[in-house]
Amino acid sequence: MTKQIHERQKEIIQKQEILDIAKDTLKQEFIGIDKVIDEVVDAISSWYLFPDLQEKPVVINLWGLTGVGKSSLINRLAQLINFDKKYFHFDLGEGESRDWNIKRKLEEIYENVNGYPIILALDEFQHARTLDETGKEIDKTASRIIWQLLDSGIFQISRHSYHLEELYDLMQKLRYLLKNGVCVSKGKVISKKEYFIEQMDLKNQYMNYEDSEFKLDLSNVLFIPTSYYEAIFSLAKEQFSSKFEVGEILEELNGYGTIKYLFDIFTIGNSPKPVDCSKGLIFVLGNLDEAYTMSNNYNPDMDADEFHQQSMKINVPIIKRALKRRFRNEQIARLGNIHIIYPAFSKNSFRRIIDLELSKIQEKLFHHQKIKLEFDQTIHELIYKEGVYPTQGTRPIFTTIHQIVNTKVGRVFTEMILNNLFASKIVFRAIDDKIIVDYFQSEEKIHSLSILQQLNLENLRKNKQDDVQAITAVHEAGHAIISIILLHTVPEVIFSNTIEAGTAGFVYSKFKWNYISRKEITNRLALFLGGLAAEKFIFGEENVTTGAEDDIEKATNFITEMLKQSGMGKLPAAYHNKDLHSRNYIYDENDNLGKEAEAWISKALNLAENTLKEQEVLLLKMADYLSDNRTMNKEQLSQLLEKYAYNFEFETLIENGDLLFYRNQLKEKVEALSEKTGNILSMDSFEISLNKTFGNKI
């Protein structure tokens, strides 16, 4: 007993070492997700160390943007802990073959590792949704097995084997032969052997060549031909230790005993298979647009650090709220409470990923060609500028590296052969739209090769300095000035020329408070309309362009939501349109809210126009700069403000929105009450529910 305990302890120590090594290896191979790796390895440790104690599957959810390494992390983890042969990946995407692939994988589990510790990955889990965008239930019968898997890990799947029909036909034939005088003992035919062989069409199997002629060998005629053993075994694998056992059992039976045995096999084969994944480790992998609200922004001009900071604010309650848009409550409960949230990659992470991929290329080429390969910093910068789409993860980077580096390697070495070069080092660098390859012998440059490089993004980033950029410069300057003057927030960046399709430019501001009060509604509306007001002021009303279309729609949506849903109108009530399912909403028959919204918009447009007129010098200086330069950052904006803003104080800018008004107002009221009553009421002796009204939570 002591020896068993010692062996068990030794096994646990060895497994813990494997986990520690796996964690370190993953951190070397995957950039920017150290915290995720720590959480994943910690979450699997109990399952990995003590699988026999597990009665239900361990479910671990990984959520993140596309291309952040969810699937590849789990694939690599399975390899590092020696589970790659017991790892099953399910793609729950919307492909036509999805259900067939799920069924095939479950068959594989049943046949090979049923009841043993395994790893399963349910990838693209967001597509397994059971509620549509309106909250209506979707009938997905095939996905029910997934929810059984997440619940207990034990479920049944239909066998649907073609061997069933084969076995049924065999039983019918054998019954007929037994009725017609065929006798069987210990699995062999002992009477009417030739008749049996003829009816079963087995002449080729029992034919012997003797004395220059063919004769039947009747010495050992099996009642069940060996060609049927595979079918019998596959229909009831759980009944046998090996295929050889099929023959051993049949050799002990007479004719009708064989028929009964085959019927038992047929019954087992026709019943559902009990699949046991209760000792499994299940990874749920998905992209939740409802939580990662930046996921639909494909603009490569956006700062990766901004998206990274936004993603760091996503927590488990936000994830569960997003899941409620796609799944029923009891289904969300089956996902458990281990939700590991991937951050969007920061600029530093993207640069480290580029460094890592280039170093892999260097290692491979040195291994195969014994030539040192170097990449100038200009190559790193070009890959970043061409390959980084902040919300699309690593995939665009890998394809960009392939386009800029891998596709050139063949030509680089061909150049060496054609020019009879003996280089010890090759250096890649980028100049404008060319990749320059320098060949060195020791430290002496002996040759250079120039290769034209198609630039998909950098060419689009070039200043146009045309009418469109001038219009955009004025438009975005208008937004920026309203943000500064009326909302006391200097934008992080302004673009007057951007790569994103359908967008000429944009202003990105980060407001420091997380609520909207009534007093700022007009200012927010003015922000939406600032671009239109700036165009009108600089170019004249007859020259206003359609570029404000999106702004106008956003302004209209904003004010109608404030009035209809947020209670900011004359009456704090929720309103809805008549033709929608609006039982719990008020119908505004006379369109009073529409008229009220128009009044707000008119007031906001007038405010924007007056503000921009007052800041005319600042507007012109800012727009002039942006008409020649595609971007302006926060520091440059601050310098313009200092020089040209009218009647503006930097102290009015809001850098911290946590303590602007509400807490101080509350404390002042409490202090005033204390002075009035002569004492401060203590709440320690009271037990009060502030959310309780007539027994209902509000």
Side-chain angles (χ1 to χ4, degrees):
M1 187 68 179
T2 305
K3 184 179 179 181
Q4 288 180 341
I5 294 174
H6 177 72
E7 290 296 323
R8 182 60 179 148
Q9 290 174 341
K10 184 179 177 182
E11 180 187 355
I12 291 172
I13 292 172
Q14 290 174 341
K15 283 188 171 183
Q16 186 61 59
E17 289 177 353
I18 291 173
L19 280 181
D20 293 340
I21 293 171
K23 183 187 289 189
D24 292 339
T25 304
L26 291 173
K27 287 182 179 180
Q28 292 172 18
E29 296 179 1
F30 293 86
I31 303 300
I33 56 170
D34 283 6
K35 184 173 179 292
V36 168
I37 292 169
D38 286 335
E39 290 185 71
V40 169
V41 174
D42 289 346
I44 73 166
S45 60
S46 177
W47 167 84
Y48 185 64
L49 297 175
F50 309 104
D52 294 337
L53 301 181
Q54 187 172 311
E55 296 180 356
K56 295 178 68 175
V58 173
V59 180
I60 300 173
N61 303 273
L62 302 182
W63 307 109
L65 294 165
T66 184
V68 293
K70 299 184 294 295
S71 302
S72 52
L73 177 69
I74 304 308
N75 293 343
R76 186 66 175 124
L77 175 63
Q79 293 173 1
L80 292 171
I81 64 174
N82 304 314
F83 262 77
D84 46 321
K85 293 182 179 178
K86 291 177 280 186
Y87 170 65
F88 300 88
H89 180 270
F90 297 82
D91 187 347
L92 303 185
E94 298 291 359
E96 293 180 3
S97 61
R98 182 194 66 175
D99 295 340
W100 182 86
N101 285 330
I102 291 174
K103 199 170 293 183
R104 181 175 59 81
K105 288 281 177 66
L106 293 175
E107 288 269 1
E108 191 178 341
I109 291 171
Y110 172 78
E111 293 175 0
N112 297 290
V113 287
N114 206 33
Y116 289 93
I118 57 174
I119 298 177
L120 304 97
L122 306 181
D123 207 352
E124 300 293 338
F125 193 79
Q126 70 276 8
H127 293 303
R129 68 185 306 159
T130 54
L131 301 178
D132 64 17
E133 289 80 358
T134 66
K136 185 178 179 181
E137 192 157 338
I138 303 171
D139 182 22
K140 284 194 173 182
T141 306
S143 68
R144 289 176 186 167
I145 200 166
I146 296 299
W147 298 106
Q148 293 175 0
L149 175 64
L150 290 166
D151 187 19
S152 65
I154 299 175
F155 50 89
Q156 295 182 326
I157 60 171
S158 182
R159 301 180 192 242
H160 297 303
S161 174
Y162 66 90
H163 289 308
L164 280 173
E165 187 175 345
E166 183 183 4
L167 188 60
Y168 181 81
D169 290 342
L170 176 63
M171 288 191 295
Q172 294 296 93
K173 283 183 181 180
L174 296 180
R175 281 196 185 99
Y176 173 80
L177 292 170
L178 290 174
K179 287 180 180 179
N180 284 274
V182 172
C183 293
V184 179
S185 176
K186 292 190 177 296
K188 297 177 182 178
V189 178
I190 58 175
S191 67
K192 301 187 74 169
K193 294 181 182 180
E194 291 186 28
Y195 171 70
F196 175 82
I197 290 172
E198 182 179 349
Q199 293 297 313
M200 292 290 289
D201 194 21
L202 298 172
K203 284 186 178 181
N204 290 336
Q205 182 176 334
Y206 290 100
M207 193 70 73
N208 255 348
Y209 185 72
E210 289 183 7
D211 301 327
S212 301
E213 61 181 44
F214 288 101
K215 292 184 179 180
L216 287 175
D217 180 3
L218 304 177
S219 61
N220 189 27
V221 180
L222 296 175
F223 189 47
I224 303 296
T226 54
S227 59
Y228 287 94
Y229 286 11
E230 176 65 32
I232 294 170
F233 177 76
S234 66
L235 285 171
K237 287 183 179 180
E238 63 269 29
Q239 304 295 316
F240 306 104
S241 57
S242 71
K243 292 181 184 179
F244 300 108
E245 195 176 344
V246 175
E248 292 174 358
I249 294 171
L250 292 173
E251 288 174 5
E252 299 297 321
L253 301 175
N254 61 22
Y256 286 102
T258 300
I259 298 295
K260 182 181 182 303
Y261 181 72
L262 292 181
F263 182 77
D264 291 340
I265 297 294
F266 180 84
T267 302
I268 293 171
N270 201 31
S271 63
K273 294 180 181 179
V275 180
D276 182 2
C277 299
S278 59
K279 296 190 182 303
L281 172 65
I282 303 175
F283 286 98
V284 172
L285 316 176
N287 312 323
L288 289 176
D289 293 346
E290 295 88 346
Y292 290 83
T293 54
M294 74 290 286
S295 61
N296 291 321
N297 190 332
Y298 297 152
N299 193 340
D301 282 332
M302 282 300 294
D303 191 330
D305 285 344
E306 292 297 335
F307 285 141
H308 175 73
Q309 291 174 19
Q310 290 180 38
S311 68
M312 294 299 288
K313 297 176 183 178
I314 300 172
N315 53 35
V316 174
I318 290 174
I319 290 294
K320 290 200 172 187
R321 186 174 64 207
L323 288 169
K324 286 184 69 175
R325 303 279 296 274
R326 293 174 179 263
F327 303 104
R328 300 194 303 272
N329 287 336
E330 69 272 15
Q331 292 171 332
I332 297 172
R334 293 186 189 190
L335 295 176
N337 216 32
I338 304 177
H339 294 272
I340 298 173
I341 302 167
Y342 274 70
F345 288 128
S346 64
K347 284 191 287 191
N348 181 54
S349 294
F350 277 119
R351 294 189 186 282
R352 288 173 59 200
I353 290 167
I354 293 170
D355 292 346
L356 181 63
E357 290 304 307
L358 291 178
S359 67
K360 289 179 182 178
I361 295 173
Q362 290 171 317
E363 289 174 10
K364 287 179 182 178
L365 285 178
F366 186 79
H367 176 73
H368 289 287
Q369 302 294 331
K370 303 304 178 186
I371 295 177
K372 187 178 180 183
L373 188 64
E374 291 184 2
F375 296 101
D376 185 78
Q377 188 59 33
T378 55
I379 293 290
H380 291 252
E381 289 300 320
L382 180 60
I383 293 170
Y384 187 95
K385 291 176 181 178
E386 286 287 303
V388 172
Y389 288 74
T391 61
Q392 293 188 313
T394 58
R395 293 188 184 101
I397 288 179
F398 296 149
T399 56
T400 302
I401 290 175
H402 176 77
Q403 181 189 34
I404 292 176
V405 178
N406 293 345
T407 58
K408 311 290 189 299
V409 172
R411 185 172 174 185
V412 167
F413 282 96
T414 301
E415 183 80 1
M416 286 181 61
I417 296 169
L418 293 175
N419 291 276
N420 199 26
L421 301 174
F422 296 94
S424 60
K425 182 174 71 173
I426 297 174
V427 178
F428 277 63
R429 54 195 174 93
I431 299 177
D432 297 327
D433 59 350
K434 295 181 179 64
I435 302 297
I436 308 299
V437 183
D438 296 325
Y439 299 81
F440 289 83
Q441 179 61 52
S442 296
E443 295 302 318
E444 180 185 355
K445 188 197 297 187
I446 58 175
H447 189 69
S448 282
L449 171 66
S450 176
I451 305 174
L452 191 66
Q453 176 64 50
Q454 177 67 38
L455 301 178
N456 296 321
L457 299 186
E458 278 303 284
N459 287 336
L460 295 174
R461 287 190 172 105
K462 290 180 180 177
N463 282 306
K464 306 297 188 296
Q465 296 185 351
D466 56 8
D467 276 358
V468 172
Q469 188 166 353
I471 294 167
T472 307
V474 169
H475 187 101
E476 302 306 334
H479 287 306
I481 290 172
I482 298 300
S483 175
I484 295 166
I485 303 301
L486 298 183
L487 290 161
H488 312 291
T489 302
V490 179
E492 302 296 312
V493 67
I494 309 174
F495 278 89
S496 60
N497 174 32
T498 184
I499 298 170
E500 187 176 18
T503 302
F506 66 90
V507 173
Y508 180 62
S509 294
K510 289 170 62 177
F511 298 118
K512 304 297 183 180
W513 60 100
N514 299 316
Y515 51 81
I516 297 175
S517 61
R518 180 184 290 272
K519 67 183 178 183
E520 66 183 272
I521 291 177
T522 305
N523 293 353
R524 294 258 184 172
L525 278 172
L527 177 62
F528 287 124
L529 301 171
L532 174 64
E535 286 189 45
K536 184 178 176 182
F537 178 51
I538 299 298
F539 301 123
E541 188 166 0
E542 67 280 4
N543 294 315
V544 168
T545 69
T546 58
E549 177 183 1
D550 186 52
D551 296 335
I552 292 168
E553 183 176 351
K554 287 178 180 177
T556 306
N557 289 339
F558 172 75
I559 189 57
T560 52
E561 182 180 349
M562 290 294 103
L563 298 176
K564 289 188 173 185
Q565 300 294 323
S566 301
M568 291 296 179
K570 294 177 181 177
L571 184 68
Y575 295 82
H576 224 308
N577 295 331
K578 185 178 182 180
D579 58 343
L580 297 177
H581 299 292
S582 53
R583 184 178 60 176
N584 298 326
Y585 295 87
I586 297 173
Y587 171 51
D588 183 23
E589 186 173 4
N590 297 318
D591 196 27
N592 292 320
L593 286 182
K595 296 171 185 175
E596 194 174 345
E598 288 177 355
W600 279 86
I601 291 173
S602 178
K603 180 181 177 183
L605 180 59
N606 186 58
L607 175 62
E609 291 173 349
N610 290 336
T611 303
L612 294 176
K613 286 176 184 177
E614 189 176 63
Q615 300 295 336
E616 180 179 3
V617 175
L618 178 62
L619 174 62
L620 287 170
K621 289 291 184 180
M622 191 183 298
D624 182 49
Y625 179 88
L626 288 168
S627 69
D628 295 328
N629 303 275
R630 67 184 297 263
T631 185
M632 179 182 287
N633 61 34
K634 192 172 185 176
E635 184 179 350
Q636 292 170 314
L637 273 168
S638 297
Q639 291 173 2
L640 275 183
L641 284 174
E642 192 170 2
K643 289 182 180 179
Y644 302 113
Y646 173 74
N647 196 25
F648 171 79
E649 298 292 337
F650 273 89
E651 290 76 14
T652 62
L653 295 175
I654 298 173
E655 298 297 336
N656 186 341
D658 292 334
L659 298 170
L660 291 178
F661 168 75
Y662 292 96
R663 180 176 175 82
N664 292 336
Q665 178 75 354
L666 171 62
K667 294 302 181 183
E668 287 175 9
K669 292 281 188 182
V670 172
E671 186 176 349
L673 177 64
S674 173
E675 292 175 357
K676 183 177 180 180
T677 59
N679 63 352
I680 299 177
L681 296 176
S682 172
M683 303 297 288
D684 295 339
S685 60
F686 294 91
E687 187 175 327
I688 299 173
S689 172
L690 298 179
N691 286 324
K692 195 170 184 181
T693 304
F694 303 109
N696 294 319
K697 185 177 180 181
I698 60 170

